[in-house]
Each structure stands twice: as structure tokens, then as C-alpha cells.
Amino acid sequence: MGILEVKNVNKSFGGLKALREVNLDVAEGSVHAIIGPNGAGKSTLLNTLIAKLTPDTGSVTFDGRPLIGMTPHQINQIGVARVFQTPEIFGELSLLENVMIPAFARRDGAFGLHAWNQVVAERDIRDRAMSLLADLKLDGKAHVEAQHLSRGDKRRLELAMCLVQEPKLLLLDEPTAGMSRADTNRTIELLKEIAKRGITMVVIEHDMHVVFSLAQKISVLAQGAIIAEDLPENIKGNPKVQEAYLGGAHL
Amino acid sequence: MLGLNKKDTSLFLIVVALTVFAPFILNPFPVGSDLAQFNAGYPDLMQRFLIFGIFAIGFNILFGLTGYLSFGHAAFLGVGSYAGVWMMKLLTMNVVPAILVSVVVAGLFSLLVGWISLRRSGIYFSILTLAFAQMSFALAYSVLTPITGGETGLQLSLSDPRVFGVSATPQGSIPLTNFFGLEMRDSAELALGGWLFTFNAGYYLCAVLMLAAFYVAIRIFRSPFGMMLKAVKSNQQRMQYTGLNPKPYTLAAFVISGMYAGLAGGLMVSMDPLAGAERMFWTASGEVVLMTILGGAGTLIGPVLGAGFIKYMENIVSKINEGILHTWFGFLPDGLEDFVVAVFYPFVGKGWHLTLGIMFMLVVIFLPGGIVEGGQRIARLFRRRPARAHERSVGAPSSSAAE
Ligand SMILES: Nc1ncnc2c1ncn2[C@@H]1O[C@H](COP(=O)(O)OP(=O)(O)OP(=O)(O)O)[C@@H](O)[C@H]1O
Ligand SMILES: [Mg+2]
């Protein structure tokens, strides 16, 4: 039994069946990749995990608890963090503030009326946020407004925001899109290190170099259905997968 | 100092100094001189600067930080005034219970209004708050007349119980508002040459409370809670997926700003014990929005400047009439004098709203950061160093917005 279990999830948008009978079983401490062509339903699947969308039918269990019916902040509070496909950051706030906010959320819960304490006096939180920014080579920009970052930097900032929470499960929607080759490689190294700490990861990625560097297991999604789930070395040769990509150059 | 950083401490100390010495600063012209009408250093107006300053500081905690634009905050000020007058009718003319109860009652009322209105955001939130305030206004005029005094307003009378005080003075008049015996009307006057300065007890009570309110606002701005309020404005989605519940944060900001409005209402009746429904009319709610935006929403000092600016216009510019304009431009040849007076006339006296409206439009279009941004731009012109110009333009908006 995995830490994350998705059972027979269906989701339609009007007439479009975005997810059909999707099953996913993610082992604790593993890196599980989800690949598939554009529009396959990968992001939609992640959305059903964090209550951004409610599935029409099916169940989602994390750490033995059913997630359906919980609010997004409750799901995060039990240890699920996500990097989005289009970065979701606090654009008007500084990078440091962007990372301190999730750190406060982890320490104080979904709501805390700390109106008298001063942020500058919160040394621990500040230091943790700074060290994460440093891990992602963003510490030089700690006081820049987040909206001025490049797309790749925004994504790394979002990763820092997730990591500062030390989640049990990290959901990554194309974490290296928009990054240079060098930044991509650096991110791979970072993610490997995070995996070593025992954080479970679900990674959506188009870049096969990233997928094969990280994943212990790969699920292939096409037109809303899982068409294959296997070890990386077996996925490459799977004829169904090759057909789904229709000669797609990645494989 | 006081748990604030250097910059905030100096800002706070400047505001303390300006407030303490306002009776001098606002009376720069000798009595009887032509310009004496521009003096704002009389108790009534100085009290109003501070009271509306408090109102705007509180409004800014909601609007400036979370971005939720309430169009009904005057209702909390009005409810606070009624509660204050009731304390004076029932308990004592000491203003302390009146002010405390004003804050508490306004806080409770804003909890109810906020709890309902915050189910929506954006324009729908604004409309809900507006609806609540207009409803309060209409009720105060009609069915709630026994509590609010209806059209005449809520006044003190000789038959009030005032259980901890007296219903009437030995001379048979209504007792005066006081702070443990110090009457709010008490003033000391200082004549220096042609100048006359007035130091009023009520003004200094307002000053102490305004400075306390300002200090608390600075702390809130720099607290983790304040940071969360900025997050509400910036990206509520991200907040939720980060494990934070934006609702209670926004509601807390709403109630805090409602309590500031209640404090303003309580102080208003402490200075002049009369509460009327017109204080809750939508124009009064609009006024605090104007003050905050004109001064600089989301900045610490902006709302105070905006409040001072608008109250100055309302009380001073509005008093300039045609006769005064003629004396000013009397040195011009007759035809030209009439022409110049005709040009200026629409902008002064009763036309002060026109001047205010134009100023407001200019600020919103050219200085979205309000008077504070204007000041910053001027300051930057003087100490521009080319090497730093770029860095500033990148980092400035958020860091300076909070200054
Ligand atoms: N909120 C929504 N409302 C309507 N249709 C949606 C919604 N979200 C996704 N879809 C549709 O569902 C399908 C799956 O979308 P999804 O974003 O999950 O694809 P994806 O696999 O993440 O693709 P990509 O690789 O391009 O990110 C698409 O056809 C998309 O248009
Ligand atoms: Mg996607």
C-alpha cells in the first residue's frame, strides 16, 4: 500500500472526459513520474489530489486519510505541497517573504493571529527561508519582488516555497519547464537530494532526461486514461506508449 | 526602539513631534492678518484631523493590505458614536467608558458585517458592505429612532440617568465630557506677538490615542499577520495551497479596521456628545476611501496625510468666498480682476469638491501611490545616484509601498 492511492478517478469537463478510471499507487519515499502528451489530463489529475478539482467519482487517499472533501489548506497542512505548471507565487512580495509565508504556515497552522510579533524578530523562520533560497541559488535576489523573476526562477522560487514546508508528498507539475539546461541539471540534483531525504514525489515532466534521471516508476497518461505503469527501463520499449506519443521525439 | 526598526521609529517620532506641536505648526499666520484664514490650528479642526486620521489608518489595514475595498466603513464609525453617547447618557461623562464601548460595539458589528460580506470578493464585497451601511443609515433614521434619536440625532439630556455621574450640574446644565475631571473643552492659550496658539485637552487626548493607533498599525504592518494580509491581496490561491486559510485573516483585518472606525466614532462624541445618522451615509464611507487612496493606500503615513488633506480642504478652502478672492486680486485692473476671480471661483468655497475631485483624478492617474509616492519621487530627484537607479526601479514598489 502506497502513501498516495488514487482509485478509479473520473473527471469530465462538459463532454470532455479528462480522466477515465485513473488508478495510481505511489510508494512512500519514491519518485513517481507521470508522462503523456499535451492535454492528456496530467495537470487535471494533480488538481484532483489537492482539492483544486473534485473528481466526479473515485477516491483519493493520502497517508491513510481520504482527501476528497478536505479543503486545499487542510490538504497542505497534512503534508502535501505542489509546484504548479504556471507558477503560483506572491508576485508583489519579495522572494524572502514568499518563502517565509509557507514557513509560517507550517509552524502556525492555517491561521495565526500574530499581529504583535515582528517579522524581523522571527530569526528561525527567516534563516530557514534564506537557506532554501540559497539552495536554489536565489539568495542574491532575496529582496527583489517575485514578479520580476524569469519563468525559470519563478519555478525555483515555488520549489523553495514547497521545500521550506518539508512536505511528505511533493507534487511537481513540469518543474524544469522554462529553465536553461544548466538550471535543469541543477534542479535534477536538488530533487535527487530531496528524494534521499525520504520525501515522496509525483513529477509531471515532458523532458525525458529529467524523468529518467529521477523516476523509480512511470505512469503514462493518454486521453485521460493510464495506458501503462512500469519501471523506467520497461516504459521506453512499450509499444502502447510509443503509439500514444505517435513518434513523439522525446522517447 | 519600541520594537520597531530604525526607519519606522523615525517615522513614528516625526509623527509624534508633528502631533504634539501641531498647535504651532498649523497656525503659521498672525491673528488678523490676511492669511489667518489659512490657519488650521484651532481645536475643533485639529481634533478632526486626528479622528479621521485614526479612521483612515484602520481602513488602510483592510484596504491597503488585503485589497478588500469596503464601501461601508462609516457604519462602524456611526455605531461607535451611538454607543459612546449611550455610555454618557447611562454611566458617566468620563470619556473612557464611552471610547472603550465604542470600540467593542463597532468591533462586534464589523464581525457580523464582515462575516457575511467576506463570502464574496471584489465588487460584490464592496456592494455588500455598502448595502449594510445604507441599511444601518436607513434604520437609524426610522425604526431605530428610540436608540438613535432618528433625525435629530442622539443627544444628551438633563433627564439622563448617568448612574456614575450627575444628570445635571448644580447650575442646571448638562455636564461636560471629561477625562477623569479634565474637561475636553479646556484649553490653554498662548499669545506670542501677533500669534495665538491654543492647546486643547480634547486635542491631546485624541493625539495620544491616534499615536497609539498609529503605533499599533506599524506593528501590524511588520508582523507575520501583516505579511499574511499582503499575501491575501497578492494571491489567495497560492495561500490556500500553502496551507493557509485566507478567510479568517481577512475577517480579522476587517474587524480590526472596524474597531479603528469605532475608536474614531467614540472620540468624535467625546469631543462633541452628539451622534447623527448622517455619519453612516455612503458619502462618509466614500470619504475614507478617498483619504486612503489620496494619501497612499498600503503605506503607513499615507492615510493620515490624506485625512489631513481632505479635512483641510473641507474646512479651509471651502471658506474662501467671492469677497475674499476680490481682496486677493484687488491689485489687478478691474476687468482682469473680475476675470481672474471668475476663473478661481468654481474651485473654492462650495466648489472645493471640484478641486478635490480633480486632485483625486490626477493622483489616481499619475501617482497611484498617492501623496506618499509623490513625496518619494521628489526625494529621489534630490538624491538620485545613477548607479542605483536600476536597482531601485526593480525593488522599489513593494518595499517602498509599505514605508
Ligand atoms: N478547468 C477546466 N475546465 C475545462 N476543461 C479543462 C479544465 N482543465 C483542463 N481541461 C481540459 O482537460 C484536458 C486535460 O488538461 P490537462 O491540463 O490536465 O492536460 P495536461 O496533461 O496537463 O497537458 P499539458 O502537458 O499541456 O500540461 C484538456 O483538454 C484541457 O483543455
Ligand atoms: Mg499540464
Side-chain angles (χ1 to χ4, degrees), chain A residues 61-93:
Chain A
T61 325
F62 170 70
D63 223 0
R65 287 191 243 194
L67 293 189
I68 290 165
M70 286 172 91
T71 62
H73 66 262
Q74 287 169 334
I75 292 174
N76 174 277
Q77 286 289 348
I78 62 170
V80 182
R82 174 173 179 185
V83 172
F84 287 82
Q85 189 167 355
T86 32
E88 289 276 357
I89 53 174
F90 302 111
E92 295 80 9
L93 304 189

PDB file of all heavy atoms in Angstrom, chain A residues 61-93:
ATOM      1  N   THR A  61      -6.638   8.731  -1.444  1.00  0.00           N
ATOM      2  CA  THR A  61      -6.235   8.560  -0.051  1.00  0.00           C
ATOM      3  C   THR A  61      -4.771   8.926   0.085  1.00  0.00           C
ATOM      4  O   THR A  61      -3.946   8.517  -0.727  1.00  0.00           O
ATOM      5  CB  THR A  61      -6.402   7.093   0.384  1.00  0.00           C
ATOM      6  OG1 THR A  61      -7.538   6.556  -0.269  1.00  0.00           O
ATOM      7  CG2 THR A  61      -6.566   6.979   1.876  1.00  0.00           C
ATOM      8  N   PHE A  62      -4.478   9.730   1.101  1.00  0.00           N
ATOM      9  CA  PHE A  62      -3.077  10.083   1.378  1.00  0.00           C
ATOM     10  C   PHE A  62      -2.788   9.737   2.823  1.00  0.00           C
ATOM     11  O   PHE A  62      -3.515  10.163   3.719  1.00  0.00           O
ATOM     12  CB  PHE A  62      -2.856  11.577   1.120  1.00  0.00           C
ATOM     13  CG  PHE A  62      -1.523  12.073   1.614  1.00  0.00           C
ATOM     14  CD1 PHE A  62      -0.346  11.697   0.980  1.00  0.00           C
ATOM     15  CD2 PHE A  62      -1.446  12.890   2.735  1.00  0.00           C
ATOM     16  CE1 PHE A  62       0.873  12.126   1.446  1.00  0.00           C
ATOM     17  CE2 PHE A  62      -0.227  13.336   3.207  1.00  0.00           C
ATOM     18  CZ  PHE A  62       0.942  12.961   2.564  1.00  0.00           C
ATOM     19  N   ASP A  63      -1.747   8.934   3.028  1.00  0.00           N
ATOM     20  CA  ASP A  63      -1.349   8.603   4.388  1.00  0.00           C
ATOM     21  C   ASP A  63      -2.522   7.992   5.163  1.00  0.00           C
ATOM     22  O   ASP A  63      -2.700   8.253   6.351  1.00  0.00           O
ATOM     23  CB  ASP A  63      -0.909   9.908   5.092  1.00  0.00           C
ATOM     24  CG  ASP A  63       0.354   9.678   5.912  1.00  0.00           C
ATOM     25  OD1 ASP A  63       0.851   8.540   5.908  1.00  0.00           O
ATOM     26  OD2 ASP A  63       0.823  10.636   6.560  1.00  0.00           O
ATOM     27  N   GLY A  64      -3.358   7.244   4.448  1.00  0.00           N
ATOM     28  CA  GLY A  64      -4.491   6.595   5.092  1.00  0.00           C
ATOM     29  C   GLY A  64      -5.723   7.466   5.256  1.00  0.00           C
ATOM     30  O   GLY A  64      -6.754   7.011   5.747  1.00  0.00           O
ATOM     31  N   ARG A  65      -5.636   8.748   4.839  1.00  0.00           N
ATOM     32  CA  ARG A  65      -6.793   9.639   5.001  1.00  0.00           C
ATOM     33  C   ARG A  65      -7.410   9.967   3.647  1.00  0.00           C
ATOM     34  O   ARG A  65      -6.682  10.298   2.708  1.00  0.00           O
ATOM     35  CB  ARG A  65      -6.361  10.967   5.619  1.00  0.00           C
ATOM     36  CG  ARG A  65      -6.030  10.848   7.073  1.00  0.00           C
ATOM     37  CD  ARG A  65      -5.892  12.227   7.641  1.00  0.00           C
ATOM     38  NE  ARG A  65      -4.539  12.443   8.111  1.00  0.00           N
ATOM     39  CZ  ARG A  65      -4.202  13.461   8.898  1.00  0.00           C
ATOM     40  NH1 ARG A  65      -5.101  14.357   9.224  1.00  0.00           N
ATOM     41  NH2 ARG A  65      -2.969  13.594   9.314  1.00  0.00           N
ATOM     42  N   PRO A  66      -8.733   9.932   3.555  1.00  0.00           N
ATOM     43  CA  PRO A  66      -9.368  10.337   2.299  1.00  0.00           C
ATOM     44  C   PRO A  66      -9.228  11.845   2.101  1.00  0.00           C
ATOM     45  O   PRO A  66      -9.475  12.621   3.025  1.00  0.00           O
ATOM     46  CB  PRO A  66     -10.835   9.945   2.487  1.00  0.00           C
ATOM     47  CG  PRO A  66     -11.030   9.830   3.955  1.00  0.00           C
ATOM     48  CD  PRO A  66      -9.709   9.515   4.573  1.00  0.00           C
ATOM     49  N   LEU A  67      -8.775  12.267   0.903  1.00  0.00           N
ATOM     50  CA  LEU A  67      -8.560  13.697   0.652  1.00  0.00           C
ATOM     51  C   LEU A  67      -9.812  14.386   0.129  1.00  0.00           C
ATOM     52  O   LEU A  67      -9.947  15.600   0.239  1.00  0.00           O
ATOM     53  CB  LEU A  67      -7.423  13.893  -0.356  1.00  0.00           C
ATOM     54  CG  LEU A  67      -6.025  13.496   0.098  1.00  0.00           C
ATOM     55  CD1 LEU A  67      -4.990  13.961  -0.914  1.00  0.00           C
ATOM     56  CD2 LEU A  67      -5.698  14.077   1.470  1.00  0.00           C
ATOM     57  N   ILE A  68     -10.703  13.602  -0.472  1.00  0.00           N
ATOM     58  CA  ILE A  68     -11.878  14.244  -1.070  1.00  0.00           C
ATOM     59  C   ILE A  68     -12.794  14.745   0.039  1.00  0.00           C
ATOM     60  O   ILE A  68     -13.110  14.012   0.984  1.00  0.00           O
ATOM     61  CB  ILE A  68     -12.572  13.271  -2.037  1.00  0.00           C
ATOM     62  CG1 ILE A  68     -11.639  13.104  -3.240  1.00  0.00           C
ATOM     63  CG2 ILE A  68     -13.922  13.813  -2.484  1.00  0.00           C
ATOM     64  CD1 ILE A  68     -11.958  11.942  -4.103  1.00  0.00           C
ATOM     65  N   GLY A  69     -13.170  16.006  -0.072  1.00  0.00           N
ATOM     66  CA  GLY A  69     -13.956  16.642   0.991  1.00  0.00           C
ATOM     67  C   GLY A  69     -13.111  17.562   1.853  1.00  0.00           C
ATOM     68  O   GLY A  69     -13.637  18.381   2.590  1.00  0.00           O
ATOM     69  N   MET A  70     -11.787  17.427   1.760  1.00  0.00           N
ATOM     70  CA  MET A  70     -10.930  18.347   2.510  1.00  0.00           C
ATOM     71  C   MET A  70     -10.707  19.614   1.693  1.00  0.00           C
ATOM     72  O   MET A  70     -10.824  19.607   0.477  1.00  0.00           O
ATOM     73  CB  MET A  70      -9.571  17.692   2.814  1.00  0.00           C
ATOM     74  CG  MET A  70      -9.634  16.626   3.895  1.00  0.00           C
ATOM     75  SD  MET A  70      -8.070  15.749   4.051  1.00  0.00           S
ATOM     76  CE  MET A  70      -7.261  16.721   5.264  1.00  0.00           C
ATOM     77  N   THR A  71     -10.383  20.715   2.388  1.00  0.00           N
ATOM     78  CA  THR A  71     -10.092  21.964   1.671  1.00  0.00           C
ATOM     79  C   THR A  71      -8.611  21.978   1.287  1.00  0.00           C
ATOM     80  O   THR A  71      -7.807  21.250   1.875  1.00  0.00           O
ATOM     81  CB  THR A  71     -10.358  23.185   2.567  1.00  0.00           C
ATOM     82  OG1 THR A  71      -9.491  23.115   3.698  1.00  0.00           O
ATOM     83  CG2 THR A  71     -11.801  23.222   3.041  1.00  0.00           C
ATOM     84  N   PRO A  72      -8.247  22.822   0.299  1.00  0.00           N
ATOM     85  CA  PRO A  72      -6.843  22.875  -0.111  1.00  0.00           C
ATOM     86  C   PRO A  72      -5.887  23.124   1.050  1.00  0.00           C
ATOM     87  O   PRO A  72      -4.840  22.485   1.137  1.00  0.00           O
ATOM     88  CB  PRO A  72      -6.813  24.033  -1.107  1.00  0.00           C
ATOM     89  CG  PRO A  72      -8.181  24.090  -1.667  1.00  0.00           C
ATOM     90  CD  PRO A  72      -9.099  23.668  -0.559  1.00  0.00           C
ATOM     91  N   HIS A  73      -6.255  24.039   1.970  1.00  0.00           N
ATOM     92  CA  HIS A  73      -5.276  24.317   3.032  1.00  0.00           C
ATOM     93  C   HIS A  73      -5.167  23.150   4.010  1.00  0.00           C
ATOM     94  O   HIS A  73      -4.094  22.899   4.545  1.00  0.00           O
ATOM     95  CB  HIS A  73      -5.556  25.654   3.725  1.00  0.00           C
ATOM     96  CG  HIS A  73      -6.823  25.725   4.499  1.00  0.00           C
ATOM     97  ND1 HIS A  73      -7.967  26.283   3.998  1.00  0.00           N
ATOM     98  CD2 HIS A  73      -7.117  25.301   5.740  1.00  0.00           C
ATOM     99  CE1 HIS A  73      -8.914  26.213   4.915  1.00  0.00           C
ATOM    100  NE2 HIS A  73      -8.430  25.617   5.973  1.00  0.00           N
ATOM    101  N   GLN A  74      -6.253  22.419   4.201  1.00  0.00           N
ATOM    102  CA  GLN A  74      -6.150  21.241   5.069  1.00  0.00           C
ATOM    103  C   GLN A  74      -5.235  20.189   4.447  1.00  0.00           C
ATOM    104  O   GLN A  74      -4.429  19.563   5.134  1.00  0.00           O
ATOM    105  CB  GLN A  74      -7.538  20.629   5.298  1.00  0.00           C
ATOM    106  CG  GLN A  74      -8.407  21.467   6.219  1.00  0.00           C
ATOM    107  CD  GLN A  74      -9.858  21.008   6.226  1.00  0.00           C
ATOM    108  OE1 GLN A  74     -10.338  20.420   5.251  1.00  0.00           O
ATOM    109  NE2 GLN A  74     -10.551  21.268   7.320  1.00  0.00           N
ATOM    110  N   ILE A  75      -5.364  20.021   3.137  1.00  0.00           N
ATOM    111  CA  ILE A  75      -4.530  19.021   2.463  1.00  0.00           C
ATOM    112  C   ILE A  75      -3.060  19.398   2.577  1.00  0.00           C
ATOM    113  O   ILE A  75      -2.203  18.565   2.843  1.00  0.00           O
ATOM    114  CB  ILE A  75      -4.975  18.867   0.993  1.00  0.00           C
ATOM    115  CG1 ILE A  75      -6.365  18.237   0.964  1.00  0.00           C
ATOM    116  CG2 ILE A  75      -3.969  18.022   0.208  1.00  0.00           C
ATOM    117  CD1 ILE A  75      -6.990  18.148  -0.404  1.00  0.00           C
ATOM    118  N   ASN A  76      -2.772  20.703   2.423  1.00  0.00           N
ATOM    119  CA  ASN A  76      -1.379  21.118   2.584  1.00  0.00           C
ATOM    120  C   ASN A  76      -0.906  20.884   4.013  1.00  0.00           C
ATOM    121  O   ASN A  76       0.225  20.437   4.245  1.00  0.00           O
ATOM    122  CB  ASN A  76      -1.197  22.593   2.220  1.00  0.00           C
ATOM    123  CG  ASN A  76       0.208  23.089   2.517  1.00  0.00           C
ATOM    124  OD1 ASN A  76       0.528  23.446   3.640  1.00  0.00           O
ATOM    125  ND2 ASN A  76       1.066  23.055   1.509  1.00  0.00           N
ATOM    126  N   GLN A  77      -1.771  21.177   4.964  1.00  0.00           N
ATOM    127  CA  GLN A  77      -1.366  21.052   6.367  1.00  0.00           C
ATOM    128  C   GLN A  77      -1.039  19.611   6.760  1.00  0.00           C
ATOM    129  O   GLN A  77      -0.298  19.381   7.710  1.00  0.00           O
ATOM    130  CB  GLN A  77      -2.446  21.626   7.300  1.00  0.00           C
ATOM    131  CG  GLN A  77      -2.524  23.156   7.315  1.00  0.00           C
ATOM    132  CD  GLN A  77      -1.354  23.831   8.010  1.00  0.00           C
ATOM    133  OE1 GLN A  77      -0.558  23.192   8.684  1.00  0.00           O
ATOM    134  NE2 GLN A  77      -1.205  25.130   7.810  1.00  0.00           N
ATOM    135  N   ILE A  78      -1.589  18.620   6.028  1.00  0.00           N
ATOM    136  CA  ILE A  78      -1.198  17.246   6.365  1.00  0.00           C
ATOM    137  C   ILE A  78       0.001  16.780   5.547  1.00  0.00           C
ATOM    138  O   ILE A  78       0.372  15.617   5.594  1.00  0.00           O
ATOM    139  CB  ILE A  78      -2.369  16.245   6.243  1.00  0.00           C
ATOM    140  CG1 ILE A  78      -2.888  16.192   4.806  1.00  0.00           C
ATOM    141  CG2 ILE A  78      -3.489  16.584   7.211  1.00  0.00           C
ATOM    142  CD1 ILE A  78      -3.876  15.053   4.590  1.00  0.00           C
ATOM    143  N   GLY A  79       0.615  17.703   4.807  1.00  0.00           N
ATOM    144  CA  GLY A  79       1.910  17.363   4.227  1.00  0.00           C
ATOM    145  C   GLY A  79       1.985  17.245   2.712  1.00  0.00           C
ATOM    146  O   GLY A  79       2.874  16.585   2.187  1.00  0.00           O
ATOM    147  N   VAL A  80       1.056  17.887   1.987  1.00  0.00           N
ATOM    148  CA  VAL A  80       1.116  17.830   0.524  1.00  0.00           C
ATOM    149  C   VAL A  80       1.412  19.233  -0.020  1.00  0.00           C
ATOM    150  O   VAL A  80       0.670  20.169   0.256  1.00  0.00           O
ATOM    151  CB  VAL A  80      -0.221  17.330  -0.075  1.00  0.00           C
ATOM    152  CG1 VAL A  80      -0.114  17.236  -1.594  1.00  0.00           C
ATOM    153  CG2 VAL A  80      -0.611  15.996   0.531  1.00  0.00           C
ATOM    154  N   ALA A  81       2.491  19.377  -0.768  1.00  0.00           N
ATOM    155  CA  ALA A  81       2.818  20.674  -1.355  1.00  0.00           C
ATOM    156  C   ALA A  81       2.925  20.520  -2.864  1.00  0.00           C
ATOM    157  O   ALA A  81       3.242  19.446  -3.365  1.00  0.00           O
ATOM    158  CB  ALA A  81       4.127  21.199  -0.782  1.00  0.00           C
ATOM    159  N   ARG A  82       2.640  21.601  -3.586  1.00  0.00           N
ATOM    160  CA  ARG A  82       2.637  21.481  -5.042  1.00  0.00           C
ATOM    161  C   ARG A  82       3.308  22.661  -5.733  1.00  0.00           C
ATOM    162  O   ARG A  82       3.119  23.813  -5.354  1.00  0.00           O
ATOM    163  CB  ARG A  82       1.194  21.395  -5.546  1.00  0.00           C
ATOM    164  CG  ARG A  82       1.111  21.426  -7.071  1.00  0.00           C
ATOM    165  CD  ARG A  82      -0.274  21.165  -7.567  1.00  0.00           C
ATOM    166  NE  ARG A  82      -0.317  21.223  -9.023  1.00  0.00           N
ATOM    167  CZ  ARG A  82      -1.427  21.135  -9.736  1.00  0.00           C
ATOM    168  NH1 ARG A  82      -2.591  20.952  -9.137  1.00  0.00           N
ATOM    169  NH2 ARG A  82      -1.382  21.199 -11.040  1.00  0.00           N
ATOM    170  N   VAL A  83       4.066  22.349  -6.779  1.00  0.00           N
ATOM    171  CA  VAL A  83       4.573  23.353  -7.714  1.00  0.00           C
ATOM    172  C   VAL A  83       3.667  23.301  -8.942  1.00  0.00           C
ATOM    173  O   VAL A  83       3.452  22.233  -9.506  1.00  0.00           O
ATOM    174  CB  VAL A  83       6.037  23.044  -8.114  1.00  0.00           C
ATOM    175  CG1 VAL A  83       6.492  23.964  -9.234  1.00  0.00           C
ATOM    176  CG2 VAL A  83       6.959  23.183  -6.915  1.00  0.00           C
ATOM    177  N   PHE A  84       3.131  24.447  -9.341  1.00  0.00           N
ATOM    178  CA  PHE A  84       2.161  24.476 -10.438  1.00  0.00           C
ATOM    179  C   PHE A  84       2.838  24.612 -11.793  1.00  0.00           C
ATOM    180  O   PHE A  84       3.994  25.013 -11.893  1.00  0.00           O
ATOM    181  CB  PHE A  84       1.184  25.638 -10.233  1.00  0.00           C
ATOM    182  CG  PHE A  84       0.201  25.399  -9.117  1.00  0.00           C
ATOM    183  CD1 PHE A  84       0.557  25.638  -7.800  1.00  0.00           C
ATOM    184  CD2 PHE A  84      -1.067  24.912  -9.385  1.00  0.00           C
ATOM    185  CE1 PHE A  84      -0.334  25.410  -6.768  1.00  0.00           C
ATOM    186  CE2 PHE A  84      -1.966  24.674  -8.364  1.00  0.00           C
ATOM    187  CZ  PHE A  84      -1.600  24.920  -7.049  1.00  0.00           C
ATOM    188  N   GLN A  85       2.045  24.293 -12.825  1.00  0.00           N
ATOM    189  CA  GLN A  85       2.581  24.392 -14.182  1.00  0.00           C
ATOM    190  C   GLN A  85       2.859  25.849 -14.554  1.00  0.00           C
ATOM    191  O   GLN A  85       3.899  26.169 -15.110  1.00  0.00           O
ATOM    192  CB  GLN A  85       1.584  23.775 -15.163  1.00  0.00           C
ATOM    193  CG  GLN A  85       2.150  23.627 -16.570  1.00  0.00           C
ATOM    194  CD  GLN A  85       1.276  22.733 -17.430  1.00  0.00           C
ATOM    195  OE1 GLN A  85       0.299  22.142 -16.968  1.00  0.00           O
ATOM    196  NE2 GLN A  85       1.632  22.628 -18.690  1.00  0.00           N
ATOM    197  N   THR A  86       1.889  26.738 -14.237  1.00  0.00           N
ATOM    198  CA  THR A  86       2.187  28.171 -14.338  1.00  0.00           C
ATOM    199  C   THR A  86       2.432  28.650 -12.915  1.00  0.00           C
ATOM    200  O   THR A  86       1.566  28.496 -12.065  1.00  0.00           O
ATOM    201  CB  THR A  86       1.008  28.959 -14.927  1.00  0.00           C
ATOM    202  OG1 THR A  86      -0.192  28.318 -14.526  1.00  0.00           O
ATOM    203  CG2 THR A  86       1.066  29.030 -16.417  1.00  0.00           C
ATOM    204  N   PRO A  87       3.621  29.199 -12.653  1.00  0.00           N
ATOM    205  CA  PRO A  87       3.999  29.495 -11.277  1.00  0.00           C
ATOM    206  C   PRO A  87       2.925  30.265 -10.504  1.00  0.00           C
ATOM    207  O   PRO A  87       2.380  31.252 -10.997  1.00  0.00           O
ATOM    208  CB  PRO A  87       5.259  30.340 -11.445  1.00  0.00           C
ATOM    209  CG  PRO A  87       5.827  29.898 -12.741  1.00  0.00           C
ATOM    210  CD  PRO A  87       4.665  29.568 -13.618  1.00  0.00           C
ATOM    211  N   GLU A  88       2.629  29.794  -9.319  1.00  0.00           N
ATOM    212  CA  GLU A  88       1.720  30.491  -8.398  1.00  0.00           C
ATOM    213  C   GLU A  88       2.573  31.018  -7.259  1.00  0.00           C
ATOM    214  O   GLU A  88       2.976  30.272  -6.372  1.00  0.00           O
ATOM    215  CB  GLU A  88       0.676  29.517  -7.832  1.00  0.00           C
ATOM    216  CG  GLU A  88      -0.369  29.067  -8.821  1.00  0.00           C
ATOM    217  CD  GLU A  88      -1.529  30.046  -8.948  1.00  0.00           C
ATOM    218  OE1 GLU A  88      -1.534  31.051  -8.225  1.00  0.00           O
ATOM    219  OE2 GLU A  88      -2.412  29.793  -9.783  1.00  0.00           O
ATOM    220  N   ILE A  89       2.870  32.326  -7.325  1.00  0.00           N
ATOM    221  CA  ILE A  89       3.714  32.921  -6.292  1.00  0.00           C
ATOM    222  C   ILE A  89       3.064  34.215  -5.834  1.00  0.00           C
ATOM    223  O   ILE A  89       2.045  34.625  -6.389  1.00  0.00           O
ATOM    224  CB  ILE A  89       5.133  33.215  -6.838  1.00  0.00           C
ATOM    225  CG1 ILE A  89       5.009  34.037  -8.121  1.00  0.00           C
ATOM    226  CG2 ILE A  89       5.892  31.920  -7.083  1.00  0.00           C
ATOM    227  CD1 ILE A  89       6.322  34.495  -8.667  1.00  0.00           C
ATOM    228  N   PHE A  90       3.630  34.847  -4.827  1.00  0.00           N
ATOM    229  CA  PHE A  90       3.129  36.147  -4.379  1.00  0.00           C
ATOM    230  C   PHE A  90       3.928  37.222  -5.108  1.00  0.00           C
ATOM    231  O   PHE A  90       4.981  37.655  -4.629  1.00  0.00           O
ATOM    232  CB  PHE A  90       3.265  36.284  -2.862  1.00  0.00           C
ATOM    233  CG  PHE A  90       2.537  35.206  -2.098  1.00  0.00           C
ATOM    234  CD1 PHE A  90       3.233  34.229  -1.400  1.00  0.00           C
ATOM    235  CD2 PHE A  90       1.141  35.166  -2.091  1.00  0.00           C
ATOM    236  CE1 PHE A  90       2.553  33.234  -0.695  1.00  0.00           C
ATOM    237  CE2 PHE A  90       0.454  34.179  -1.398  1.00  0.00           C
ATOM    238  CZ  PHE A  90       1.161  33.202  -0.699  1.00  0.00           C
ATOM    239  N   GLY A  91       3.421  37.606  -6.280  1.00  0.00           N
ATOM    240  CA  GLY A  91       4.193  38.463  -7.179  1.00  0.00           C
ATOM    241  C   GLY A  91       4.639  39.786  -6.594  1.00  0.00           C
ATOM    242  O   GLY A  91       5.728  40.259  -6.888  1.00  0.00           O
ATOM    243  N   GLU A  92       3.811  40.390  -5.735  1.00  0.00           N
ATOM    244  CA  GLU A  92       4.127  41.722  -5.216  1.00  0.00           C
ATOM    245  C   GLU A  92       5.028  41.657  -3.988  1.00  0.00           C
ATOM    246  O   GLU A  92       5.430  42.692  -3.468  1.00  0.00           O
ATOM    247  CB  GLU A  92       2.848  42.481  -4.850  1.00  0.00           C
ATOM    248  CG  GLU A  92       1.942  42.799  -6.027  1.00  0.00           C
ATOM    249  CD  GLU A  92       1.095  41.612  -6.456  1.00  0.00           C
ATOM    250  OE1 GLU A  92       1.087  40.585  -5.732  1.00  0.00           O
ATOM    251  OE2 GLU A  92       0.465  41.699  -7.521  1.00  0.00           O
ATOM    252  N   LEU A  93       5.297  40.447  -3.508  1.00  0.00           N
ATOM    253  CA  LEU A  93       6.128  40.333  -2.311  1.00  0.00           C
ATOM    254  C   LEU A  93       7.546  39.917  -2.699  1.00  0.00           C
ATOM    255  O   LEU A  93       7.780  39.383  -3.778  1.00  0.00           O
ATOM    256  CB  LEU A  93       5.527  39.309  -1.342  1.00  0.00           C
ATOM    257  CG  LEU A  93       4.076  39.562  -0.903  1.00  0.00           C
ATOM    258  CD1 LEU A  93       3.688  38.603   0.202  1.00  0.00           C
ATOM    259  CD2 LEU A  93       3.868  40.983  -0.446  1.00  0.00           C
TER     260      LEU A  93
END
